[in-house]
Every structure is written in structure tokens, then in C-alpha cells.
Amino acid sequence: MVLIILSERDFDYELQALVTGFFPGQAVKVIVHGEENSAGEPGITLDIILGQFKIYADARTSLYKINYELDVTGSGNWHKHIDKAAHPYRTYYKNVLKKLVFCLLRDFPADMLPDGITKRIPAWGTMTGVRPVKIVMDQVLGGIGLQEIKKSLEDIYCLDPVKAELAMQIAVREAKLLANVDYENGYSLYIGIPFCPTTCSYCSFTSYPFDRYGSLADAYLDALEKEMEYSSHIFSDRKLTSIYIGGGTPTSLSAVQLGRLLKSLCKYFPVGNGIEFTVEAGRPDSITEEKLKVIYGYGARRISVNPQTMQQKTLDIIGRKHTAIQTVDAFNLARKTGFSNINMDLIIGLPGEKEEDFAGTLSKIKDLSPDSLTIHSLVVKRASRLRDTDGGYGTAETCKSLCMENMLDMGQEFARCNGYLPYYMYRQKNSCGHAGSTGQENIGYAREGKECLYNILIMEEKQTILALGAGASTKLYHMGMGQVERSENVKDVALYIQKIDEMIGRKRKLLKDF
């Protein structure tokens, strides 16, 4: 266990995330000076004093102690009346505090740690959030030169040079893709379909097996249309940039139900006219020719066919009730229907998979030649069955055997050799191997012209996202302030149907002054 003792309860969340990155598999407890530690004897203790002008930190075990002190003011130009709680000084203070702790732990000798505690240096440095590219993107859009950006990533945020290069590459690509889009004055639409053929063992999303909850589908579509009707008036004076229908698995619905959904969409929103339109078809066992024709007929031109892996043994373990052959058949059927922009999702770190398994999957994906490819790192979240049914799956010891870092590199090399460029990325805080460079990134790769604008806009928080359906989160972006406000819909399908007027009321409250 790692214990952090603070002089006051501030920046505790950020520090806890940073320290967790150094010590995989260790519990990290935060207390304030004078507060009793009820978590047991720590293997390593960090003592941090958050002074107005100086920060003091020490790290100690029974074998060793190291301490650093930092003059926060640097040149001494800060005045006494400046409050560290005030923005932008708070952001500056947070960055120098995290860098101080990063350097302290980086320099702590690994052989002076107690048995059972291993140290890794996080490749993403002090960036503990899920959107590291957002910081870089803001700098690119602000006209800052790439050399200066790289210097700040390595000097301020302590990024490994390889990660700094990746973040800059993606940010430059994103900026180029958004250059001809009036995203600041537009909005995007997300529609959630929370049904799936079955629930995968690793899944923590809002999804309900269709064989048990399918009887609610028509009532769900009734409620969804009601939310569509209200929401269509909210931004009638704004241009719709993109539409994304996700889930769950939208193709869990029957062809008739899909047609009903898409007909309502076209009734209330301006589908077409160059608007990007994605349907996440998802599970191959839910895809039929009739459904694909319905989707194509209502104007969607980008879909996802998501195998996650092409290893049949893994598909059986994780509860994907389809075969690798069905994935090939569904993909070819989509091509035959006319889809020229097909994405495929893969997951690295699935139970039992080694590098050779992932190499086999990539070989089969190469034969299909999708237009874009998203490679995810496995996340074992509290809401997933995998956490409960597979003992300690997701712990540091398990992660070491997964060779996820090699798989991540294999995916990047595969993309490079087959004409795919990274165009968006985010990180998962609870991914296997979260602590180091292993398994942190989820990266979207695409061939030229096949990128998904919606993925960029929602990940970098550059546009308001109007979200409809159970579990959907509307994100209102305030351009001038760079802030995002949210309105969440309930996740439970039956509650969503029952409380649809309340969901609409939440949106009305959020958007009344927008």
C-alpha cells in the first residue's frame, strides 16, 4: 500500500492517479496531516506540504528516504495576494506539483522499495487524464509551434519522447481534419441503442441482452422518438455536423425496428447534405443483409463491424456468440451492400491472448482491408462480469503476462505498413497495465478520407454533443470558456421509458440559457 499525506486536502485525486501509475497493483490511500491512517502499514509513504510559494515532498520506506523542495514562483514574480485556488494559477500550481512528485518517484531507487512493490515510470508522465491529446490540440489550434509543444510535453508533463511524438501526430491530424468544419457553431447528435445480442464478459456499457429485454424495444423507440421530437428544436439554427448511432448494438433491433428508428431520425433531423452519419453495427451475429440495406437506404455511409478478436477460442471465453467466419461474412455483406467506409474494433489484452494470437487477428484483418481500425486496450471495470468471474484479472501480475505493450506496438506497426494513420486517441484509467506504457491507449487509425469526425469532436471536447437514449450524456460545450456541462439520461431501459419526460426536462434545464 502507498500512503499519501497532504498538508491539506487538495489535488488529492490527481496525485492519487499519478502515484497509482508508478506502483501497479498497489492501493493508494490519501489522508491529511493529523488524520489517522486506518488502511494499515504502508510500504511507501509520500509526505507533501502544499505551500503558497513552496512545495515540499518526501518519499520514504523503511530502507530509504528522499525529499525535494520546489520554489513554485520560479523567478519570484508571484505576489502574496495570489491564491493557489485561483485560475490560471491553480493550473500552473497543479502542473508543477505533479512534476515534483513525478521526479521524486522517478528518482526513488527501485532496490529501496519493500518486497512486493514494483515501480514503473509512466510513459505519459504527469498526464493522468483520459484526453492527453486535448492539451496538445489546444496548443496546435493556438498557433504554437511543434518544437515548442514537444518541449512543453517533455519538460512540463514529463512525457516519454515516443508518446509526445504520438500525441503531436494525432493533434496535427485532428486540426487538419477540423480546418474545413464549422464545428464551433455546429453540433453533433448521438443516439444510444442499449440492446445487445448478449453481454460480453468485459463489458461495462449500458447494454441489455435482447432475448431478455427485447420486449421493451418498441416502447423504447416510442420514448426515443419523443426525445427526438423535443431535441430537434433545440439547435434548429445550428448546422448538424455528424450523427452517430451507437450502443449497445444498434443492429440488435429487427430490420423493421431499425427502419422505424431511422425514419424518425430523418423526420426530425436534417440527415444528408454532407453530414457524417455512422451506425455502429457492431456484433457480426446481429448483422443481416436486410438490416444493412435499411441502414444504407436511410443515408448512413459509415458503419462498424466489430470482431474484437479473430481468435475463436477467445470469442468463446468472453461471451461473443459469433464466429470469426461470421465476422468475415458480415464484413463482405456490408461491402456488397455499398458501404465504402467500414471500421473494425479490436481489443488487446483479452483473456489468454498472447502476441501470436494478436498477430493472427491482424493477419485476418489485413485480408479484409477495412477503411479504419480502432485498437482498444482491455478495461476491466467494476461493472464487468470479467472482474467477478476471473479472480484477479486485471491486476499488475496478470498484466505482465499479457504482453500488451508489445501488442500495442504491433498494432501501430500494422497500421503504418497498411496505410492507416492515427487520427484520435484516448486512455483508459482502469486498463490492464495502466501503470506504465502498457495498455493505456485506445487509438483510432484510418486511411486518408475515412476518419470519423464525431470521434474527434467528442474526444477533444470541441463541440456540443446532443445525446439521446438510455445512458446517453449530452455535453454542452461553452466555446468562450472552454468548459463542458453535462445532462445525463438514466441508464436503465425501463426507467428511461417511464421517465422520458424527466429526461427531456433535464435537457430543457441545461439548455435554457444556451
Side-chain angles (χ1 to χ4, degrees):
M1 190 265 286
V2 181
L3 180 66
I4 303 174
I5 307 175
L6 296 175
S7 58
E8 58 185 286
R9 190 166 288 281
D10 202 359
F11 304 107
D12 45 323
Y13 177 81
E14 291 91 342
L15 291 172
Q16 187 173 30
L18 178 60
V19 173
T20 299
F22 273 92
F23 302 108
Q26 291 294 316
V28 179
K29 172 79 173 177
V30 181
I31 64 173
V32 177
H33 282 180
E35 186 178 329
E36 183 179 352
N37 170 32
S38 58
E41 188 66 26
I44 180 169
T45 299
L46 273 73
D47 202 324
I48 302 170
I49 298 175
L50 305 173
Q52 184 67 47
F53 302 109
K54 286 188 178 182
I55 301 173
Y56 173 88
D58 74 54
R60 59 185 183 269
T61 66
S62 60
L63 302 173
Y64 190 81
K65 179 177 179 179
I66 184 173
N67 62 75
Y68 286 166
E69 185 176 292
L70 175 69
D71 181 356
V72 181
T73 66
S75 63
N77 292 329
W78 295 101
H79 301 291
K80 291 184 178 180
H81 68 270
I82 295 179
D83 182 0
K84 70 179 174 65
H87 183 80
Y89 184 55
R90 181 175 176 80
T91 300
Y92 168 80
Y93 192 98
K94 178 182 69 175
N95 285 338
V96 297
L97 166 64
K98 290 173 74 174
K99 181 177 179 179
L100 176 67
V101 174
F102 181 93
C103 294
L104 182 76
L105 295 178
R106 179 198 61 195
D107 298 343
F108 197 99
D111 59 356
M112 291 296 170
L113 291 169
D115 292 341
I117 296 183
T118 57
K119 184 182 80 169
R120 303 191 63 176
I121 299 176
W124 284 99
T126 65
M127 288 186 173
T128 55
V130 300
R131 294 179 170 87
V133 178
K134 187 175 187 291
I135 293 172
V136 188
M137 178 74 155
D138 289 341
Q139 292 177 325
V140 170
L141 294 177
I144 299 175
L146 292 182
Q147 286 302 317
E148 187 176 349
I149 292 174
K150 185 176 182 181
K151 187 174 187 302
S152 75
L153 291 177
E154 295 180 6
D155 292 350
I156 298 174
Y157 298 101
C158 306
L159 261 69
D160 177 276
V162 174
K163 300 303 182 187
E165 202 63 48
L166 175 64
M168 290 195 304
Q169 183 184 3
I170 293 174
V172 168
R173 185 107 186 271
E174 288 178 334
K176 181 181 177 182
L177 291 168
L178 294 182
N180 298 317
V181 179
D182 187 14
Y183 58 91
E184 292 181 338
N185 295 308
Y187 74 102
S188 288
L189 176 66
Y190 174 84
I191 297 175
I193 305 300
F195 303 104
C196 273
T198 58
T199 300
C200 301
S201 61
Y202 57 80
C203 184
S204 62
F205 290 114
T206 304
S207 82
Y208 296 85
F210 201 80
D211 60 347
R212 291 173 54 196
Y213 295 93
S215 59
L216 297 174
D218 286 318
Y220 180 78
L221 292 176
D222 288 340
L224 190 57
E225 181 170 3
K226 190 171 185 179
E227 193 176 17
M228 280 189 203
E229 182 178 13
Y230 165 75
S231 301
S232 65
H233 302 295
I234 295 172
F235 300 126
S236 56
D237 59 338
R238 287 184 168 224
K239 185 176 179 180
L240 182 57
T241 303
S242 63
I243 302 168
Y244 194 102
I245 300 180
T249 305
T251 44
S252 296
L253 299 174
S254 69
V256 172
Q257 289 167 333
L258 268 176
R260 179 185 166 193
L261 167 69
L262 296 173
K263 183 178 180 180
S264 297
L265 172 66
C266 292
K267 177 181 177 181
Y268 294 112
F269 293 93
V271 180
N273 301 320
I275 295 171
E276 178 185 87
F277 187 0
T278 299
V279 176
E280 193 171 348
R283 291 272 291 265
D285 49 333
S286 68
I287 296 172
T288 67
E289 184 174 11
E290 186 180 8
K291 292 178 186 180
L292 289 171
K293 286 181 177 178
V294 169
I295 293 169
Y296 193 87
Y298 277 98
R301 291 296 178 264
R302 183 180 183 275
I303 63 168
S304 286
V305 177
N306 299 333
Q308 315 302 16
T309 178
M310 296 297 281
Q311 304 301 313
Q312 190 59 51
K313 60 180 182 180
T314 312
L315 292 171
D316 295 340
I317 289 171
I318 63 177
R320 302 276 290 188
K321 303 298 184 182
H322 65 83
T323 65
I325 294 173
Q326 279 180 299
T327 298
V328 175
D329 292 342
F331 185 92
N332 291 332
L333 194 58
R335 283 287 195 229
K336 177 184 173 184
T337 304
F339 289 100
S340 59
N341 194 349
I342 304 177
N343 174 73
M344 301 190 85
D345 280 6
L346 302 177
I347 298 178
I348 61 173
L350 289 169
E353 288 209 349
K354 303 286 195 300
E355 290 106 314
E356 56 266 30
D357 298 302
F358 189 54
T361 290
L362 291 175
S363 177
K364 293 176 181 178
I365 295 299
K366 182 178 180 179
D367 293 339
L368 293 174
S369 190
D371 305 285
S372 61
L373 184 67
T374 309
I375 299 180
H376 299 267
S377 296
L378 177 65
V379 176
V380 185
K381 293 190 175 180
R382 286 188 297 271
S384 68
R385 287 186 291 114
L386 187 58
R387 177 176 289 272
D388 297 326
T389 59
D390 197 14
Y393 192 84
T395 65
E397 290 71 24
T398 305
C399 295
K400 291 175 186 175
S401 67
L402 292 175
C403 304
M404 289 177 67
E405 188 168 0
N406 290 338
M407 292 182 185
L408 200 62
D409 291 341
M410 288 166 61
Q412 291 176 355
E413 182 64 13
F414 174 85
R416 187 187 66 79
C417 293
N418 290 280
Y420 301 97
L421 295 173
Y423 78 96
Y424 89 105
M425 185 264 288
Y426 64 102
R427 296 168 60 210
Q428 294 280 15
K429 290 192 176 182
N430 295 318
S431 61
C432 289
H434 165 65
S437 58
T438 304
Q440 286 188 322
E441 296 100 313
N442 294 346
I443 305 178
Y445 301 93
R447 290 180 171 146
E448 200 73 40
K450 302 298 184 179
E451 306 86 359
C452 178
L453 284 175
Y454 175 84
N455 285 335
I456 297 172
L457 291 166
I458 192 169
M459 197 49 56
E460 309 311 340
E461 296 184 322
K462 293 298 179 188
Q463 190 182 60
T464 288
I465 308 294
L466 178 60
L468 315 178
S473 176
T474 292
K475 298 178 180 178
L476 186 63
Y477 175 63
H478 295 277
M479 182 177 60
M481 298 180 290
Q483 295 179 344
V484 177
E485 288 185 82
R486 289 170 170 80
S487 173
E488 311 276 352
N489 281 355
V490 294
K491 293 182 179 182
D492 185 270
V493 172
L495 273 180
Y496 172 80
I497 295 168
Q498 178 185 338
K499 295 179 177 292
I500 184 59
D501 291 330
E502 182 182 322
M503 300 304 100
I504 291 172
R506 290 182 186 182
K507 281 187 170 57
R508 185 179 288 114
K509 183 178 180 181
L510 174 69
L511 299 164
K512 66 179 180 179
D513 297 323
F514 188 68

